[in-house]
Amino acid sequence: MEAARQLGRETIPVEVLDCTADEAREMEISANLTAGMTPLQDAIFLAEWQMQYEKRHPETAAGIAGALAKHGLQGKSASFAEGEAVQTTNLSFAQVVAESRKISVRHVQRVTAAARALTADERVALHGPEIALPMSDIEKLAKISNAEERQAVVRKLSLGAAKSVGAARSAWRAEFGSTSDTAAAARPKDTSLAALLTALDRAPVAMRKAFLLERCHEVWEAQNKSQSLPAAARDATG
């Protein structure tokens, strides 16, 4: 509207669609899917789109579509592909996307499953074009079962300390002498450190940045002088 005002226009041409709020949301999501997103953003939008699609077409959800087909109860349903209305015959969400993108149904299922496996905090931490993990790395991250390792991997990726999930996992294992999820789960944990890291991971992004800015000098001194935090703090304060 502001652009139209600055151009001196008194009216703005619009295209009016008669649809429900859910249909409008689905069209918005499908339009975003063609807007040049990172693989993570694409995966999250696909998962969201799937939720909206199956909300409007519950007969296409996993298990239900197969049961309907088995009993000859298939019907017609509407969906949206790249913003345009198309007709499907009880196609699952994965089938609709696979057909539109010319990829396998299994690939769509893996992508949406990986996105759903990420927590809200992990999505926020990994958001941004400067990280831009490939889809294969997002799937690897979603499969990490050890919570401590997973938090460490996300933290390294978000801070730029590692460029891939594999590199982040290798660095974490080198730091703690762990070679597998089982070994990681079995090794003794420093409960105080775990509590601090958990609180940091769960804090809003703004609070995490404020914390790092507050403590960055102490951490730098401790890391570069091989001193404990109290010793570094005493040196810093003179």
Side-chain angles (χ1 to χ4, degrees), residues 5 41 45 57 110 123-124 133 215:
R5 289 193 189 98
Q41 292 168 337
F45 268 100
H57 310 301
R110 290 202 313 269
R123 292 181 179 188
V124 171
L133 293 174
R215 298 294 182 179

Side-chain angles (χ1 to χ4, degrees), residues 38-172:
T38 66
L40 175 61
Q41 292 168 337
D42 184 50
I44 293 172
F45 268 100
L46 277 175
E48 176 70 14
W49 190 13
Q50 181 179 31
M51 183 178 69
Q52 294 294 330
Y53 180 91
E54 293 181 352
K55 180 180 177 181
R56 291 206 304 114
H57 310 301
E59 73 280 2
T60 67
I64 299 178
L68 289 173
K70 181 178 179 180
H71 294 90
L73 299 176
Q74 292 169 299
K76 295 287 185 179
S77 62
S79 67
F80 293 92
E82 298 185 359
E84 297 182 0
V86 297
Q87 291 294 319
T88 65
T89 307
N90 280 334
L91 293 180
S92 71
F93 171 80
Q95 289 172 311
V96 172
V97 175
E99 183 176 327
S100 174
R101 294 189 173 190
K102 308 304 179 186
I103 57 179
S104 71
V105 170
R106 179 58 184 151
H107 180 75
V108 179
Q109 292 171 335
R110 290 202 313 269
V111 168
T112 54
R116 287 194 299 270
L118 298 178
T119 67
D121 285 343
E122 289 169 346
R123 292 181 179 188
V124 171
L126 298 173
H127 182 76
E130 68 278 2
I131 301 174
L133 293 174
M135 195 60 233
S136 58
D137 264 15
I138 297 170
E139 292 179 27
K140 291 176 184 177
L141 176 62
K143 292 178 180 178
I144 299 177
S145 58
N146 181 271
E148 186 178 359
E149 180 183 7
R150 184 159 160 162
Q151 290 176 359
V153 168
V154 170
R155 188 161 51 250
K156 288 180 182 298
L157 292 169
S158 65
L159 295 175
K163 298 299 183 182
S164 70
V165 170
R169 298 190 77 179
S170 296
W172 182 81

Side-chain angles (χ1 to χ4, degrees), residues 15 17 19 21 23 27 36 39 58 72 77-78 82 92 138 145 149 154 157 167 179 181 193 207-208 228 232:
E15 182 179 351
L17 298 177
C19 62
E23 289 171 339
M27 283 188 284
S77 62
E82 298 185 359
S92 71
I138 297 170
S145 58
E149 180 183 7
V154 170
L157 292 169
T179 58
D181 285 352
L193 175 60
M207 292 300 99
R208 283 186 293 201
S228 64

